[in-house]
Amino acid sequence: MTNANAPDASAHRIFLIGYMGCGKTTWGKKLAARLNYAFVDLDTILEEKEGMTIPEYFTTHGEAAFRNLESAILKSGDYPQRAVISTGGGLPCFFDNLEWMNANGQTIYMNLPPAVLASRLDNGKDERPIIRGKHGDELIAFIEEKLAEREGFYTQAQHTINGINMSVERLMDELGIEHPEENV
Ligand SMILES: Nc1ncnc2c1ncn2[C@@H]1O[C@H](COP(=O)(O)OP(=O)(O)O)[C@@H](O)[C@H]1O
Ligand SMILES: O=C(O)C1=C[C@@H](OP(=O)(O)O)[C@@H](O)[C@H](O)C1
Ligand SMILES: [Mg+2]
């Protein structure tokens, strides 16, 4: 689904947004490879810049400092123009980050139901401090609550795509990028 102010496909930076677990990092890599674009994960830039994992950063500096830093990294623009950029799930919901992304590239929201997100996040790994210690129905309920808070931001993206049955071709179709192999 594309909203009215979507720029044309020539806008090079493609920002993937959506709740943690929706597939931004996974599909950002695949889309970048298909387009021969750079792949940028803003969380990875932050971890490399700070020399620690995101959970460690939350513990040592707190969430407020994390939100300031992730916004500064976004707006630094210190990454290639021709890039697929996977954002952290909270990025669009703080400051004017979403407006900045809409003004500096194409944005696409990957929409998935809470139960599917929970099934992908409830993996025993401690990767996301916000959901630390939450499992099963408690995790689903937490995601439902957070998604209700955040949906208003995510849906300001220029495009929204259903994250079920995801494929690079579907992402390209939504972004208005032709994939000529089908014309043969
Ligand atoms: N379409 C999909 N089907 C099944 N599992 C997926 C799909 N996309 C991503 N995943 C899995 O879900 C988890 C979260 O994916 P990830 O790309 O890290 O999401 P995000 O960056 O949005 O948090 C990973 O374990 C990944 O392998
Ligand atoms: O939703 C959030 O607030 C967060 C999502 C994470 O990124 P992913 O969406 O890639 O998991 C990461 O930025 C941090 O744990 C905060
Ligand atoms: Mg990610």
Side-chain angles (χ1 to χ4, degrees):
M1 178 176 72
T2 301
N3 76 22
N5 64 350
D8 63 35
S10 63
H12 288 317
R13 281 177 171 163
I14 298 170
F15 295 97
L16 303 186
I17 72 172
Y19 200 78
M20 53 181 110
C22 70
K24 303 180 295 291
T25 298
T26 300
W27 292 96
K29 286 176 186 166
K30 295 176 191 283
L31 179 61
R34 179 67 168 276
L35 298 178
N36 197 24
Y37 275 30
F39 171 67
V40 173
D41 189 309
L42 296 182
D43 280 342
T44 303
I45 292 179
L46 187 148
E47 290 179 325
E48 290 172 353
K49 178 176 167 25
E50 296 301 305
M52 62 179 78
T53 66
I54 285 176
E56 288 165 346
Y57 192 88
F58 266 65
T59 302
T60 53
H61 295 75
E63 181 173 357
F66 175 83
R67 297 303 173 193
N68 286 323
L69 181 54
E70 69 172 353
S71 183
I73 289 171
L74 169 73
K75 294 180 181 176
S76 74
D78 191 14
Y79 39 89
Q81 273 294 343
R82 290 178 72 86
V84 176
I85 298 128
S86 294
T87 64
L91 184 73
C93 313
F94 289 85
F95 314 122
D96 62 344
N97 294 336
L98 185 66
E99 291 79 0
W100 191 92
M101 287 188 279
N102 276 335
N104 288 277
Q106 284 189 279
T107 52
I108 182 161
Y109 165 36
M110 299 171 67
N111 180 6
L112 279 159
V116 174
L117 294 169
S119 70
R120 296 183 182 174
L121 295 168
D122 204 357
N123 57 17
K125 298 178 198 162
D126 180 25
E127 295 168 320
R128 300 166 168 99
I130 287 176
I131 56 171
R132 178 175 289 150
K134 291 183 174 59
H135 305 283
D137 290 346
E138 183 192 12
L139 178 59
I140 294 174
F142 179 82
I143 295 172
E144 282 170 347
E145 183 186 330
K146 272 282 180 182
L147 209 44
E149 289 170 18
R150 293 183 170 185
E151 196 93 60
F153 294 95
Y154 291 150
T155 50
Q156 292 176 50
Q158 294 144 9
H159 306 271
T160 293
I161 190 166
N162 181 327
I164 302 286
N165 299 322
M166 183 51 65
S167 71
V168 168
E169 290 74 17
R170 284 189 57 226
L171 282 164
M172 292 171 76
D173 288 342
E174 179 57 43
L175 292 163
I177 302 170
E178 290 192 3
H179 28 104
E181 72 282 0
E182 284 182 348
N183 299 336
V184 294

